[in-house]
Amino acid sequence: MARYIFVAGGVMSGIGKGVAVASIGRILKSKGFRATAVKIDPYINVDAGTMNPIEHGEIFVTDDGDECDQDVGNYERFLDEDLSRVNYMTTGRVYETVVHRERNLEYGGRCVEVVPDIPNEVISRINKAAKETKADFVLIEIGGTVGEYQNLLFLEAARMLRLQKPKDVVFILVTYLPIPEMIGEMKTKPTQTAVRLLNEAGIQPDIILGRSRVPLDEPRKRKISVFCNVAKENVISAPDIESIYEIPVNFEKENLGSRILKKFGMKTRKHNLKDWQRLVKTIKTAKKPVKIGMVGKYFETGKFTLADSYISVIEAIKHAAWFYKRKPEIYWLGAEDYEKDPKKLKELKKYDGIIVPGGFGSRGVEGKIKAIEFCRKQKIPYLGLCLGMQLAVVEFARNVCKLKGANSTEFVPDCKYPVIDVMPEQKNLLKEKKYGGTMRLGAYKCQIRPKTASFRVYGRSNVSERHRHRYELNNEFRETLRAKGMVMAGTNPEKDLVEIIEIPKHPFFVATQFHPEFKSRPLRPHPLFREFIRVATTRR
């Protein structure tokens, strides 16, 4: 029988509900229980695939091809489990299902109402996640901030589920306690307001996680306890830390896992966070750096840099660096700068390795191609991901195969040498303007050629990796590329599509059509990232 833990956020957005959920899941798993996590996004979008990564962050993809919020990636990394479509829902997805059922007369002709039918559909999806994952605990993150109109129906679903199963539901509020510089004192009033807003939705939090710049002191805990009607021992301090992977260890210092189990009248089966504690020790003690440059375009919004656009790539770099007891240093390199001033390419020599990640659109493409050429010629370790592979093919076709004007039809539809092109079935979808959820999505098989760098790294010939793209290496040019030295190290056996390319006689020049970063874990770095970092550490 599953138990349910709802996690909502108060005061403001971006305070870490997702990593709190992931951390609680890890703690419960360490105590011998099976945990899963569900993200509820309060958007009309049916999935995250059509959301702007600069505004919303990375689009994470599951094995079954669901385009999700980046928090699902954190769930997978902390739980070390592959999640699926049942672990993600949006307002649009819920309404779409209810309307579809109404059109099929599945409500028996009665009036279909926002309440209770929308909350009931939410509850149905939560129960489905519990059943399919066979979880002891289902953690449900309610997106947005308490008090917003957008997530009110999801709070209503939580209230209704508590009514149905009063002993099997716990509510946690992640809130923020500011320390105004001009006052110099941690203020609890915003948290009190957030709790009252949650009360208005018919919900009383059982546990409060207090986010702040520094740990909560005893006076603040007492005040929150009195004014928010929560036992003082259930007010948990969640101060800022350097690495999100410290969070489970910090929570356990205040016995959060035991307090949750006590709410359900349950006892710990075991307690083993040793592997996580060793990871945190490595993170804190690693001193020798490995410097990785990321050449992309989804970095800037106004005067701010948004790393969330590439969060899985960033975390995969960290996982591999920590594996070698190195301190990861990641630098954001604007591709457009290399278009405007090619002399700036020389700065790439400062880094131990260069990554060109995935992306869409033509902005900065020529700058990325110049950076890839520089890495190839200067023997700088290079890892290309999705678009990073496609542009490596374009660069090789132009400069090694001498196919002047080679390009991807994504950027120049009528180019002379379309070495990267869209598949026929995708062309039809584009003509019909069907963009959402219509790419090559999710896990596909990859057969790896023996005696290649990729084969040595994976240690086997058959793997499965996740995709999110429309454009592929055009097989009409495969022999031309191969004749000039490009190695087609991995192919999809069903569709005969190139998945991995390599440049031999180079320290490390590997590019993949898939996204290996989606399957990297803090305790199990992805093999390709691990080898990339290993070679990068030998560069100096």
Side-chain angles (χ1 to χ4, degrees):
M1 181 182 69
R3 276 83 173 179
Y4 305 89
I5 302 170
F6 285 91
V7 179
V11 181
M12 67 181 194
S13 61
I15 56 174
K17 295 189 303 297
V19 291
V21 166
S23 298
I24 293 168
R26 185 74 203 185
I27 290 168
L28 292 171
K29 189 173 180 179
S30 77
K31 293 181 181 295
F33 298 96
R34 184 168 175 80
T36 193
V38 174
K39 174 63 185 285
I40 300 176
D41 249 344
Y43 297 103
I44 295 296
N45 305 65
V46 173
D47 57 41
T50 55
M51 298 180 192
N52 187 331
I54 292 178
E55 296 177 8
H56 188 70
E58 172 192 80
I59 290 87
F60 188 81
V61 179
T62 56
D63 266 356
D64 61 352
D66 201 23
E67 295 175 286
C68 305
D69 179 84
Q70 64 184 20
D71 282 322
V72 178
N74 277 325
Y75 303 161
E76 284 203 354
R77 286 186 281 271
F78 277 68
L79 292 172
D80 195 10
E81 293 182 10
D82 294 336
L83 303 183
S84 69
R85 183 175 294 270
V86 298
N87 295 90
Y88 182 67
M89 73 179 91
T90 65
T91 298
R93 186 171 290 184
V94 171
Y95 269 89
E96 183 184 52
T97 300
V98 170
V99 170
H100 180 75
R101 290 180 62 193
E102 183 276 328
R103 292 289 83 187
N104 288 344
L105 298 179
E106 293 179 41
Y107 290 99
R110 70 170 175 82
C111 294
V112 181
E113 300 179 85
V114 171
V115 178
D117 294 304
I118 297 299
N120 277 337
E121 174 59 25
V122 173
I123 292 170
S124 174
R125 287 172 174 268
I126 292 169
N127 286 331
K128 185 178 181 183
K131 184 177 180 181
E132 290 194 11
T133 61
K134 299 178 181 178
D136 298 306
F137 292 95
V138 182
L139 292 112
I140 306 103
E141 178 188 351
I142 299 176
T145 307
V146 171
E148 293 177 334
Y149 175 78
Q150 289 92 329
N151 61 18
L152 194 57
L153 287 170
F154 299 119
L155 293 174
E156 179 70 358
R159 183 195 66 78
M160 289 169 59
L161 187 58
R162 178 75 169 265
L163 186 65
Q164 296 169 15
K165 302 180 178 183
K167 296 181 179 180
D168 298 331
V169 176
V170 161
F171 293 113
I172 296 177
L173 179 68
V174 183
T175 183
Y176 186 72
L177 289 91
I179 307 173
E181 190 173 338
M182 65 184 71
I183 299 173
E185 179 190 5
M186 183 182 290
K187 308 304 287 185
T188 66
K189 195 66 72 177
T191 293
Q192 296 175 40
T193 302
V195 170
R196 288 197 180 98
L197 288 168
L198 196 58
N199 291 160
E200 288 177 8
I203 296 170
Q204 167 62 37
D206 298 290
I207 295 171
I208 291 177
L209 303 182
R211 290 279 294 106
S212 192
R213 184 158 46 87
V214 297
L216 274 63
D217 58 11
E218 287 302 306
R220 247 50 58 171
K221 285 190 175 185
R222 281 199 304 271
K223 198 169 186 180
I224 291 171
S225 172
V226 171
F227 287 98
C228 298
N229 196 30
V230 174
K232 188 167 74 72
E233 62 267 23
N234 291 327
V235 179
I236 307 295
S237 181
D240 291 348
I241 34 82
E242 290 186 14
S243 169
I244 59 173
Y245 300 108
E246 292 181 49
I247 297 173
V249 177
N250 283 356
F251 280 168
E252 277 300 80
K253 288 178 182 176
E254 298 204 31
N255 298 311
L256 177 58
S258 297
R259 298 193 190 290
I260 289 171
L261 292 177
K262 185 177 179 181
K263 287 287 181 183
F264 289 110
M266 301 169 70
K267 294 183 179 180
T268 299
R269 294 174 181 171
K270 63 177 183 178
H271 181 68
N272 186 11
L273 265 180
K274 289 182 180 178
D275 53 354
W276 213 260
Q277 289 165 340
R278 283 194 295 268
L279 171 68
V280 171
K281 184 178 179 181
T282 296
I283 294 169
K284 288 186 171 184
T285 57
K287 302 296 182 186
K288 200 170 183 180
V290 57
K291 299 180 178 182
I292 304 300
M294 288 258 288
V295 183
K297 70 170 186 175
Y298 294 135
F299 292 150
E300 296 177 354
T301 173
K303 295 181 180 179
F304 299 93
T305 298
L306 290 184
D308 278 1
S309 300
Y310 297 110
I311 189 169
S312 287
V313 180
I314 293 165
E315 296 307 309
I317 293 169
K318 292 177 181 178
H319 303 161
W322 294 329
F323 182 84
Y324 291 105
K325 305 292 191 293
R326 291 297 189 106
K327 180 182 178 182
E329 293 184 2
I330 301 169
Y331 299 84
W332 312 108
L333 309 176
E336 291 170 288
D337 292 341
Y338 302 137
E339 294 178 352
K340 298 171 185 174
D341 185 6
K343 291 180 182 178
K344 288 187 175 181
L345 287 166
K346 291 181 181 178
E347 74 175 6
L348 298 179
K349 289 183 178 181
K350 297 189 300 184
Y351 305 106
D352 300 318
I354 297 295
I355 292 177
V356 173
F360 296 88
S362 60
R363 182 163 63 86
V365 159
E366 291 301 322
K368 293 177 185 179
I369 292 172
K370 290 180 187 296
I372 293 167
E373 179 186 15
F374 192 87
C375 289
R376 179 176 60 81
K377 290 181 175 179
Q378 298 296 321
K379 306 295 186 183
I380 300 171
Y382 173 76
L383 178 60
L385 308 171
C386 197
L387 179 63
M389 186 201 97
Q390 295 169 7
L391 297 183
V393 171
V394 171
E395 186 279 319
F396 192 88
R398 288 181 185 178
N399 300 315
V400 180
C401 300
K402 305 303 180 184
L403 301 179
K404 189 176 180 180
N407 215 319
S408 166
T409 55
E410 179 182 4
F411 314 125
V412 183
D414 57 349
C415 62
K416 188 175 181 180
Y417 300 107
V419 292
I420 302 295
D421 198 8
V422 71
M423 291 188 295
E425 59 263 35
Q426 291 290 341
K427 287 181 181 179
N428 294 329
L429 292 170
L430 288 172
K431 284 179 183 178
E432 297 169 10
K433 294 187 176 181
K434 293 182 178 178
Y435 303 113
T438 59
M439 294 182 278
R440 188 149 77 101
L441 291 165
Y444 284 83
K445 293 179 182 177
C446 176
Q447 190 167 3
I448 302 176
R449 181 179 164 186
K451 298 182 181 180
T452 60
S454 299
F455 186 85
R456 290 193 298 273
V457 168
Y458 277 104
R460 59 186 191 274
S461 58
N462 292 293
V463 298
S464 174
E465 296 283 2
R466 297 178 191 177
H467 294 248
R468 184 176 183 259
H469 61 94
R470 278 196 176 85
Y471 292 82
E472 310 278 356
L473 190 153
N474 189 339
N475 283 336
E476 292 181 14
F477 294 91
R478 193 190 289 193
E479 287 305 318
T480 302
L481 295 163
R482 183 182 288 129
K484 290 294 184 178
M486 180 174 281
V487 175
M488 312 300 162
T491 54
N492 174 256
E494 286 91 359
K495 295 180 178 288
D496 191 31
L497 297 169
V498 175
E499 299 279 23
I500 310 174
I501 63 104
E502 298 177 3
I503 303 296
K505 298 180 181 178
H506 190 287
F508 187 94
F509 194 108
V510 178
T512 67
Q513 184 58 82
F514 49 79
H515 290 270
E517 66 269 23
F518 289 152
K519 300 191 81 170
S520 184
R521 306 284 190 260
L523 300 176
R524 290 190 301 114
H526 191 282
L528 288 174
F529 277 90
R530 199 173 63 214
E531 180 66 6
F532 169 67
I533 293 296
R534 187 193 69 77
V535 176
T537 60
T538 66
R539 189 168 146 70
R540 300 182 187 279

